Amino acid sequence: MKVLVIGGDGYCGWATALHLADNGMQVVIADNFARRAWDGQLGVASLTPIASMDERLACWNSSVEHAISFVHLDVTEYEPVCALLEEMRPDAVVHFAQQRSAPYSMIDRDHAVQTLVNNTVGNLNLLWALREAAPDAHLVKLGTMGEYGTPNIDIEEGFIEITHKGRTDTLPFPKQPGSFYHLTKVHDSDQLYFVCRAWGLRATDLHQGVVYGVHTPQTARAPQLINRFDYDHVFGTALNRFCVEAAVGHPLTVYGTGGQTRSFLNIRDTVRCVELALRNPAQAGQYRVFNQFTELFSVADLARAVARVGETMGLTVKVEHQENPRFEKERHHYETRNANLRALGLQPTLLEDGTLREMIELAMTFKDRVDPAVIRPSISWKPRAKAASILSA
Ligand code: NAD
Ligand code: USQ
């Protein structure tokens, strides 16, 4: 299978590209290194020292049967996307190439617009290019569980059957995204659903939960292959941040009560889920949604687990509840299905103490690279006056 992995220099994309190549697929990575540039502009960096793409691929291609090639590509530029699809004629395209931080999209108007343009125009270009150059290719697109928000009913996989005034239909599940970033994902999903119906394209929209962990069997093979691991307040996600905070003696930054429940999965399962979607493609004209997560946790539960494991490692770990900079419910119903990937054979990697220990140990190994100044949040979802009081507290 010939697979184009767009956004293959990033956290999920790099690990996925190696996994797919290791499992016999012919992989081409495309990326414009936007993420490395955004890190530079914000003064943040991966905890792990990530090699350049040249170094990454020189290392990978020197030792394996299934070499990966690379194309510098910005998905917001239409002609190059079209040209690449025409030249490559992939069987499938995996689209990771987006600005994926909710806080980044809430910094100010410019960052909200940048996120919207990058994500929405990039997705739209890819759909038009598929129509023109590779209409049979299966698109696997990374969406997010955060598209649904936290409704007071169980969350289904993409669609819900509704009976209204005596008539019944199966309709897209209602969306209540919690940031301008999450809003872009909702628009992408609408675009995908529309083009599958109108043009007969085939697409799988992976509504992924929060990813944690760093190593996959492939990225752990050599230092040049190591994956990125974000801990800063803009790109770092909850559990990864808590492990780094525990390792450096920073209080665990639980926003509000920590009663917010989210869906989570290990990066090792991200790569396997994408493979499962690719090996079981959507039919022509089919738009399907897979909720891609393995477990649900509240933020407070995660902080408690990290504190408990950290203490068994001799660390003193304090959990600090700080005023929540986000607009989100801290007490809510959260029940959601993930039957589709399980039906295709996903065996979940559950969060165990050993995983937390491995993540905290990794953070201790790279402790000297941690900049404590980028841990505390400085971006607020709140109206201007309220935001100022939260951030100065
Ligand atoms: P990341 O920032 O590590 O990687 C994204 C990659 O896309 C980067 O290498 C970046 O340079 C590239 N990119 C961005 N805009 C581009 C453009 N216009 N043209 C070409 N390349 C571009 O992010 P990630 O954590 O790997 O996330 C990948 C995808 O998975 C995103 O779509 C994200 O929304 C989704 N996702 C991530 C998580 C998570 O917890 N990390 C959870 C759910 C969904
Ligand atoms: N949180 C804390 N403390 C922290 C960081 C986060 O309490 O130090 C809380 C947040 O308030 C939120 C929850 O943890 O309630 C999750 O936040 P997060 O930063 O880990 O994740 P989020 O902003 O939702 O975004 C991440 C990825 C995004 C992906 C999303 C999946 O950055 O790309 O789409 O997870 S989901 O959450 O399912 O939408």
Side-chain angles (χ1 to χ4, degrees):
M1 195 187 292
K2 255 195 286 180
V3 185
L4 174 62
V5 178
I6 315 182
D9 187 46
Y11 175 52
C12 300
W14 174 241
T16 302
L18 298 194
H19 174 83
L20 299 180
D22 212 27
N23 283 279
M25 297 191 190
Q26 194 182 325
V27 174
V28 174
I29 290 179
D31 204 295
N32 69 346
F33 304 125
R35 180 53 210 284
R36 293 182 190 241
W38 297 328
D39 281 2
Q41 287 157 17
L42 294 167
V44 302
S46 165
L47 169 79
T48 46
I50 48 171
S52 67
M53 182 54 78
D54 285 349
E55 291 163 332
R56 284 178 151 186
L57 291 185
C59 175
W60 178 259
N61 291 342
S62 68
S63 63
V64 293
E65 193 185 334
H66 300 284
I68 296 176
S69 51
F70 174 74
V71 178
H72 192 282
L73 179 87
D74 181 345
V75 272
T76 66
E77 291 173 14
Y78 179 60
E79 298 301 335
V81 179
C82 236
L84 177 61
L85 291 187
E86 255 159 30
E87 186 195 326
M88 185 183 163
R89 304 255 169 224
D91 299 300
V93 177
V94 188
H95 181 27
F96 291 102
Q98 300 201 307
Q99 191 303 96
R100 69 106 175 122
S101 157
Y104 186 98
S105 75
M106 300 299 296
I107 293 175
D108 56 20
R109 179 256 172 211
D110 287 354
H111 288 81
V113 170
Q114 193 193 343
T115 301
L116 183 97
V117 171
N118 190 65
N119 295 2
T120 311
V121 173
N123 192 60
L124 195 57
N125 281 346
L126 183 56
L127 297 178
W128 278 98
L130 283 164
R131 176 185 190 257
E132 296 309 309
D136 288 330
H138 175 209
L139 173 62
V140 175
K141 161 73 173 52
L142 270 292
T144 180
M145 285 300 292
E147 291 183 42
Y148 301 118
T150 51
N152 197 30
I153 57 172
D154 290 10
I155 296 170
E156 304 298 326
E157 289 194 82
F159 291 87
I160 184 169
E161 189 180 290
I162 295 178
T163 300
H164 180 63
K165 297 185 178 170
R167 301 182 70 83
T168 300
D169 202 350
T170 300
L171 297 167
F173 195 90
K175 306 286 176 79
Q176 301 180 82
S179 73
F180 288 114
Y181 152 72
H182 287 97
L183 275 154
T184 68
K185 294 290 194 179
V186 173
H187 197 54
D188 295 342
S189 295
D190 287 344
Q191 289 180 1
L192 259 59
Y193 184 35
F194 172 67
V195 300
C196 289
R197 285 176 289 150
W199 299 340
L201 297 188
R202 54 182 89 216
T204 304
D205 196 343
L206 298 175
H207 281 28
Q208 184 170 239
V210 187
V211 185
Y212 62 85
V214 64
H215 296 310
T216 60
Q218 294 80 22
T219 63
R221 276 185 202 161
Q224 296 93 321
L225 302 178
I226 199 165
N227 205 355
R228 65 160 48 249
F229 190 92
D230 301 308
Y231 68 91
D232 61 90
H233 72 107
V234 184
F235 287 102
T237 46
L239 184 55
N240 288 359
R241 271 165 66 72
F242 294 162
C243 290
V244 175
E245 290 164 356
V248 300
H250 191 287
L252 307 195
T253 51
V254 173
Y255 299 164
T257 62
Q260 311 88 300
T261 299
R262 295 288 181 271
S263 44
F264 289 83
L265 77 164
N266 191 305
I267 183 83
R268 294 182 175 113
D269 282 351
T270 292
V271 305
R272 293 163 62 225
C273 289
V274 174
E275 184 191 359
L276 282 171
L278 290 169
R279 293 205 188 278
N280 301 277
Q283 303 301 307
Q286 185 186 12
Y287 166 75
R288 57 184 192 176
V289 176
F290 293 173
N291 288 348
Q292 181 166 310
F293 67 91
T294 54
E295 292 175 279
L296 306 180
F297 298 105
S298 76
V299 171
D301 283 347
L302 290 179
R304 273 192 291 273
V306 170
R308 180 173 48 71
V309 172
E311 275 158 18
T312 66
M313 297 169 73
L315 299 167
T316 305
V317 186
K318 191 172 155 233
V319 176
E320 186 182 276
H321 291 265
Q322 51 191 91
E323 193 166 352
N324 196 336
R326 302 191 182 197
F327 171 71
E328 61 186 2
K329 289 181 202 155
E330 293 174 16
R331 275 175 64 128
H332 57 89
H333 177 76
Y334 200 73
E335 284 299 331
T336 177
R337 279 166 63 84
N338 59 353
N340 288 338
L341 282 159
R342 281 172 180 259
L344 293 179
L346 178 68
Q347 301 286 331
T349 306
L350 301 182
L351 179 63
E352 290 169 353
D353 286 4
T355 317
L356 292 174
R357 201 169 298 119
E358 179 189 289
M359 288 165 67
I360 297 170
E361 272 166 6
L362 177 98
M364 289 165 81
T365 306
F366 293 109
K367 206 173 167 176
D368 292 347
R369 291 176 52 88
V370 174
D371 176 1
V374 302
I375 293 181
R376 283 202 179 278
S378 66
I379 300 164
S380 175
W381 269 233
K382 306 282 165 58
R384 184 178 281 278
K386 177 78 175 154
S389 74
I390 290 177
L391 298 177
S392 63

